[in-house]
Amino acid sequence: MSKTLTEIAQQLKEANKKVQLIYAFNGTGKTRLSREFKQLIAPKADGSEDDEEADPSELSRNKILYYNALTEDLFYWDNDLELDAEHKLKIQPNSFTDWVLKDQGQDQNIITTFQRYTNDKLTPRFNVERKEKDTDDKEITIKAFSEVTFSMESGDESHSGNLKISKGEESNFIWSIFYTLLELVIYVLNVPEPTDRETNAFDKLEYVFIDDPVSSLDENHLIELAVDVAQLIKSSESDVKFIITTHNPLFYNVLHNELNSDDGSYKKKSFEKYRMTKFDDGTYQLISQPNDSPFSYHLYLKSELEKAIESGQVSKYHFNFLRNILEKTSTFLGYKKWGDLLPRTDDGKTNPYEARIINISSHSKHAGEEVADLTEDDKRVLRYLVNEINSMYRFQQSES
């Protein structure tokens, strides 16, 4: 039965599970779900939104700690456009980073975590407090831990100067701060008696909601991150519950396997897995995944592709689905190129037009989100290829 996002949030709350893992395509509403869930668990007295929405630590000191796209809004670049020399990642004033960096002194742990997932030579440096003149020649104080610069270190203790890191590296850095906070929270709450804890700031914490942690990592580092998150969750001995949403099938499957493993440290019955689907009318559904196997992403893509063909609602990005299915199937069957799986003509060769249209449509700059209309001939080719691949490789037909 389809539901609103508020009802989906209520369903997650009522499930009363230690961990709930959700897969959904980008654009389905994962970040909006995190906000709906936050509002359900820690509603505003007047129902209004304010700056606390982007300050997770204020929420963590009550009932919910969350990481989502809004967390990244705490950070912005000063690109030094005039001199193009002093690139700085600035941090909006907030208690989230203040607690981790100033109160707990976790800057070195953040740097270590960041380098583990990126490059051990790429080094963040937090600023110390300093005085400087503003544009009106007035003296102002730049607070400590309000700016970060990045440099590439070399073996002779020299460095490359201030670098403008990539968007993926920036997201990784912000995640490293959150992950360090999460480690601290779990460590603190694992002390059973509140009076024995080093801080009581998190005594009321009920939920941790993680929406799409770093997805720009290569597969090896993404697996490492998923394993780290799973082990951290499994180390939690308090009653805090975790909700994790992701659009990345590899991250989903690794978490599934890690949290579902029978190593005696975790109660699998308190772990639930879902796919979240959005319908054309703007409603949603959580579909439970089986406990005995991880999510078969390529089969889900095939099912979505067949639904689009049947309804006639085919868009350019559906060719991206087809390419993804072909890539995964070719790897499994031992072919070097996904194009080798395409139907053959009478002379034993593949049709170059079919490979070309898949390439063009799936390599668009915005192929994952693009909704451009296709010609009727394009739709016919897509329908033909899906039918042929189903027949040639004997895929089990999707259930309606």
Side-chain angles (χ1 to χ4, degrees):
M1 184 178 71
S2 62
K3 299 180 178 181
T4 65
L5 274 183
T6 303
E7 291 170 332
I8 294 292
Q10 185 66 42
Q11 180 181 341
L12 293 172
K13 182 175 183 291
E14 292 174 354
N16 195 31
K17 298 288 185 178
K18 181 70 174 180
V19 184
Q20 296 180 86
L21 176 62
I22 302 169
Y23 176 86
F25 287 141
N26 266 342
T28 301
K30 300 185 299 300
T31 301
R32 294 194 299 277
L33 176 61
S34 71
R35 298 181 71 175
E36 289 289 344
F37 192 83
K38 172 259 169 185
Q39 183 64 18
L40 182 65
I41 301 302
K44 296 290 184 185
D46 58 359
S48 64
E49 301 283 347
D50 61 22
D51 290 343
E52 187 176 287
E53 187 70 45
D55 190 347
S57 71
E58 284 301 320
L59 296 175
S60 74
R61 295 168 194 234
N62 292 285
K63 294 184 177 181
I64 184 169
L65 169 66
Y66 66 92
Y67 174 90
N68 62 18
L70 295 170
T71 312
E72 298 192 9
D73 291 343
L74 296 176
F75 302 80
Y76 65 99
W77 281 98
D78 177 353
N79 290 315
D80 188 22
L81 296 177
E82 184 175 345
L83 299 176
D84 193 28
E86 295 293 327
H87 303 292
K88 302 184 186 98
L89 184 63
K90 293 198 170 186
I91 305 175
Q92 303 271 19
N94 71 95
S95 56
F96 170 34
T97 56
D98 282 351
W99 192 83
V100 180
L101 293 164
K102 295 180 181 179
D103 298 352
Q104 297 299 314
Q106 291 294 311
D107 48 313
Q108 189 55 55
N109 285 339
I110 291 168
I111 292 170
T112 300
T113 299
F114 172 71
Q115 290 179 328
R116 189 166 77 245
Y117 296 131
T118 52
N119 185 321
D120 60 6
K121 299 293 190 294
L122 183 57
T123 304
R125 297 180 186 278
F126 295 93
N127 71 302
V128 297
E129 186 172 306
R130 70 181 189 274
K131 306 281 187 181
E132 65 178 38
K133 297 291 183 67
D134 64 10
T135 54
D136 297 324
D137 205 35
K138 294 180 180 179
E139 187 175 76
I140 58 173
T141 300
I142 306 299
K143 294 183 178 180
F145 299 107
S146 63
E147 299 174 346
V148 190
T149 55
F150 296 84
S151 61
M152 192 67 72
E153 305 297 314
S154 60
D156 58 1
E157 297 187 357
S158 64
H159 59 84
S160 59
N162 295 349
L163 302 175
K164 176 72 179 289
I165 60 175
S166 70
K167 182 62 178 175
E169 289 166 335
E170 179 186 339
S171 296
N172 201 321
F173 176 73
I174 297 167
W175 165 256
S176 297
I177 296 177
F178 179 86
Y179 183 82
T180 300
L181 170 64
L182 188 55
E183 281 186 310
L184 285 170
V185 169
I186 290 175
Y187 173 79
V188 167
L189 293 182
N190 276 352
V191 177
E193 292 296 327
T195 54
D196 295 333
R197 294 170 182 166
E198 63 183 72
T199 176
N200 297 114
F202 303 101
D203 287 359
K204 296 180 181 180
L205 186 66
E206 296 178 7
Y207 287 93
V208 174
F209 197 119
I210 301 174
D211 170 37
D212 253 343
V214 182
S215 58
S216 58
L217 297 172
D218 60 61
E219 290 193 353
N220 289 334
H221 284 119
L222 190 64
I223 291 170
E224 184 179 8
L225 187 147
V227 170
D228 287 347
V229 170
Q231 293 303 315
L232 191 57
I233 290 172
K234 291 164 78 170
S235 73
S236 174
E237 299 172 5
S238 69
D239 293 330
V240 172
K241 300 176 180 65
F242 299 83
I243 298 173
I244 305 171
T245 63
T246 183
H247 76 281
N248 188 292
L250 177 60
F251 185 76
Y252 181 102
N253 279 350
V254 174
L255 273 177
H256 175 285
N257 288 327
E258 288 294 315
L259 293 170
N260 211 44
S261 62
D262 189 13
D263 58 7
S265 65
Y266 195 77
K267 295 180 180 179
K268 290 189 290 183
K269 65 181 181 181
S270 62
F271 175 38
E272 188 66 56
K273 290 83 60 184
Y274 309 98
R275 285 200 328 262
M276 188 170 81
T277 300
K278 182 180 180 181
F279 298 106
D280 291 340
D281 62 0
T283 59
Y284 303 80
Q285 185 177 17
L286 282 182
I287 304 169
S288 292
Q289 293 298 113
N291 288 323
D292 58 350
S293 63
F295 171 39
S296 297
Y297 176 62
H298 65 295
L299 296 181
Y300 179 43
L301 286 182
K302 191 174 79 71
S303 173
E304 292 297 303
L305 187 51
E306 289 167 341
K307 288 178 186 176
I309 291 172
E310 183 178 355
S311 67
Q313 302 298 312
V314 177
S315 296
K316 204 170 186 179
Y317 67 85
H318 286 109
F319 277 98
N320 203 39
F321 287 12
L322 178 58
R323 182 190 172 103
N324 202 305
I325 294 165
L326 290 169
E327 287 174 341
K328 286 176 170 55
T329 305
S330 64
T331 299
F332 178 76
L333 295 177
Y335 289 92
K336 292 182 179 180
K337 299 182 295 183
W338 59 263
D340 292 338
L341 269 62
L342 294 175
R344 303 277 172 167
T345 57
D346 292 340
D347 60 2
K349 297 180 180 179
T350 58
N351 185 329
Y353 169 74
E354 294 167 356
R356 187 166 62 251
I357 191 173
I358 295 174
N359 264 324
I360 292 173
S361 299
S362 62
H363 275 158
S364 168
K365 183 178 179 182
H366 302 292
E369 293 83 22
E370 193 168 333
V371 293
D373 290 335
L374 297 175
T375 66
E376 288 304 315
D377 195 49
D378 292 339
K379 294 178 182 180
R380 178 191 60 77
V381 171
L382 183 63
R383 186 182 309 110
Y384 164 75
L385 289 175
V386 171
N387 289 336
E388 286 295 300
I389 289 165
N390 272 333
S391 176
M392 290 165 61
Y393 302 106
R394 302 180 63 185
F395 277 100
Q396 183 173 336
Q397 294 303 298
S398 303
E399 295 181 3
S400 303

